[in-house]
Amino acid sequence: MTGLGCMMVAGGMSTRMGRDKASLPWMDGTLLSSLAMRAVRSYSFTHLCVVINRPLAKTEWPGRVWPVTKSGRLLRGDACIVPTTEGRMYRWQPPDSERIISMLVVSDRFKACGPLAGVEAGLGAITAIADAGEAALPDYYLTVSVDMPFYEPDSIVLAQWQTATLAPNASDTPYIVMPKQADGRLQPLAAIYHRQCGKIAGRLLETGERRMQSLVAAVPTVYVPIANDNRCYRNVNTPLAYKEALAYAINRTRTVPIVTVTANRSKTGKTRVATELIRQLTSQGMKVGLVKSDGHGFTMDYADTDTGKATAAGAAAVAISGPNGYAVLQHTPSKDSLLTLAQGMKVDVALLESRHHGSFPKIAVLRQGHMEELPCEPQEVLAIVSDGPRPLPETACRYFSFDEGDALATWLLERDIFGRRQ
């Protein structure tokens, strides 16, 4: 059978993440459900395969899903989507769609053997079902890891696959179409595999081989060049990488991207951190705004005030919210939302300076003697600026000293925290 299926590998041990990556919250769902929706919206795959080593509650999966026999007979549904090593067949109707997609859910035969075991499990089960004549399944599968939150089926890779499969000589048809970065690194969990690769992966695993590169070396492969910094192929393997990706994704949805500078007490150094960030980012050609919360009432732009310091540092816009007004001293009965003020600025990025409040992503400012007191929940903290040794070793974030404003600004730009890289 021709056509292209999609196989999502979600059965890893997530050792570096410390929790199941497939279930991590992402936008309106999880990393797994988001990947499934992006896949079916971007390309008309003829079949879907999910490789996962735990049951999925149906509430984890978007739309309607119900089990069927391998021959297609409908069965009574249950509360879970249950993988087996042989593969279990389902039908899936995505939300707001009349389309019904055939889906195989399978678990690893070779336990704790990395992504090669996932590829073997999925392609092996697909091949067994197809060879037995139980279902007509595609010959090729785009195989994607669940931990790539920005992945979309790559049109260049798909075009190369279509060209290769249309070759007049069957011997010229490759078994793998592999994205290859300019620096030589491969992306084996964003490649297209012939389903017979499952048998080869099985033989490798039986000999103790676990490297994906060994499968690539054993099968005819066409390489497709991609850029080193293509966000589509960036994965999240650690809690910090997940936070960075989430910050980028959230800021991409905002009219003005923001970062909050926060502390759990006054006189901690928030303004020092914010003004240095303004100075450093402005030197990079960015227009930076500052929104500050004040609980006592305020005046603006005098040289010795925080807003005056921000203006002197190069802020293109400064707003402040307090009990007697906001922005340009427009009097109101209550303070306005810092996020609302930020979204109205004509700047490239806005910094929110606030105690306890503000929006993700956050930079927490800590002082010696109070290193254990985060001003917010740890999952909201992207970086810590402090004047002491690294506090809170269990907190997944970056650490900077007060003298590393340039390094902090560079890191924010390099990791795309502002969501502005095209």
Side-chain angles (χ1 to χ4, degrees):
M1 178 180 178
T2 57
L4 182 65
C6 180
M7 183 167 73
M8 300 188 298
V9 180
M13 297 179 67
S14 303
T15 304
R16 286 181 285 172
M17 184 63 72
R19 58 173 290 189
D20 175 34
K21 285 188 284 189
S23 64
L24 283 172
W26 189 259
M27 302 299 101
D28 295 327
T30 64
L31 283 181
L32 178 58
S33 66
S34 175
L35 176 60
M37 291 305 300
R38 292 196 310 276
V40 298
R41 286 172 177 166
S42 299
Y43 191 86
S44 296
F45 293 105
T46 56
H47 185 254
L48 185 68
C49 177
V50 181
V51 183
I52 191 165
N53 292 318
R54 63 172 177 86
L56 277 168
K58 286 193 176 178
T59 54
E60 293 183 73
W61 195 260
R64 295 178 58 231
V65 60
W66 57 93
V68 296
T69 64
K70 291 177 181 176
S71 59
R73 184 171 62 87
L74 292 176
L75 300 173
R76 287 189 62 184
D78 52 33
C80 290
I81 302 170
V82 182
T84 66
T85 54
E86 298 80 21
R88 189 173 180 187
M89 299 292 292
Y90 291 84
R91 293 288 185 269
W92 173 38
Q93 183 177 22
D96 304 319
S97 173
E98 297 182 358
R99 184 180 173 199
I100 305 297
I101 299 171
S102 175
M103 181 170 75
L104 179 70
V105 184
V106 61
S107 59
D108 291 352
R109 292 195 311 125
F110 295 86
K111 305 302 182 184
C113 289
L116 185 63
V119 171
E120 187 280 333
L123 297 181
I126 289 164
T127 300
I129 292 170
D131 288 352
E134 296 174 353
L137 299 178
D139 292 329
Y140 285 87
Y141 279 78
L142 174 64
T143 301
V144 186
S145 174
V146 73
D147 64 2
M148 293 195 296
F150 302 104
Y151 183 80
E152 298 277 356
D154 192 323
S155 59
I156 299 176
V157 174
L158 294 174
Q160 184 62 67
W161 165 74
Q162 290 172 333
T163 299
T165 54
L166 291 174
N169 188 338
S171 63
D172 294 335
T173 303
Y175 277 142
I176 299 176
V177 178
M178 176 66 63
K180 184 177 183 180
Q181 295 181 183
D183 60 9
R185 285 184 294 172
L186 305 180
Q187 293 290 347
L189 288 184
I192 297 175
Y193 295 84
H194 192 282
R195 55 184 169 84
Q196 293 294 338
C197 290
K199 294 180 179 179
I200 300 170
R203 291 196 291 269
L204 289 169
L205 287 162
E206 287 170 354
T207 67
E209 180 57 68
R210 300 183 181 183
R211 295 176 301 165
M212 286 294 297
Q213 287 83 350
S214 297
L215 174 60
V216 177
V219 178
T221 300
V222 167
Y223 296 97
V224 181
I226 60 172
N228 289 339
D229 61 349
N230 190 329
R231 176 168 287 279
C232 175
Y233 294 95
R234 186 180 294 182
N235 55 16
V236 291
N237 286 318
T238 66
L240 178 57
Y242 170 61
K243 284 185 184 180
E244 292 173 350
L246 195 59
Y248 172 87
I250 290 174
N251 269 333
R252 289 284 288 179
T253 68
R254 291 168 171 156
T255 304
V256 177
I258 68 166
V259 167
T260 298
V261 180
T262 185
N264 53 18
R265 59 188 66 232
S266 59
K267 308 301 181 183
T268 304
K270 299 190 305 294
T271 299
R272 176 180 173 183
V273 173
T275 52
E276 182 59 23
L277 270 178
I278 291 169
R279 185 175 292 108
Q280 295 293 336
L281 294 172
T282 299
S283 72
Q284 296 290 323
M286 299 185 70
K287 294 175 64 177
V288 186
L290 174 70
V291 181
K292 180 179 172 61
S293 177
D294 191 308
H296 305 290
F298 56 86
T299 55
M300 292 184 68
D301 283 347
Y302 289 102
D304 59 347
T305 63
D306 292 345
T307 54
K309 293 174 183 176
T311 300
V318 176
I320 187 167
S321 180
N324 62 330
Y326 68 89
V328 290
L329 296 180
Q330 177 177 333
H331 291 281
T332 59
S334 63
K335 66 168 65 177
D336 203 8
S337 160
L338 301 185
L339 181 58
T340 299
L341 292 176
Q343 297 306 283
M345 287 182 163
K346 295 181 179 180
V347 294
D348 298 319
V349 61
L351 302 181
L352 309 188
E353 186 186 327
S354 175
R355 283 179 58 183
H356 308 296
H357 305 294
S359 302
F360 176 82
K362 295 181 178 180
I363 298 170
V365 183
L366 300 180
R367 286 289 190 181
Q368 290 195 61
H370 305 285
M371 302 298 253
E372 74 288 351
E373 300 179 15
L374 276 179
C376 53
E377 294 299 318
Q379 64 267 22
E380 298 180 1
V381 178
L382 193 64
I384 288 177
V385 177
S386 70
D387 59 355
R390 285 192 170 193
L392 306 166
E394 299 304 316
T395 303
C397 58
R398 284 289 303 268
Y399 293 85
F400 298 90
S401 72
F402 281 96
D403 297 324
E404 293 182 304
D406 57 341
L408 174 58
T410 298
W411 173 70
L412 291 170
L413 291 169
E414 287 181 346
R415 303 307 298 171
D416 307 337
I417 302 306
F418 301 128
R420 284 313 196 199
R421 176 175 292 180
Q422 300 301 317

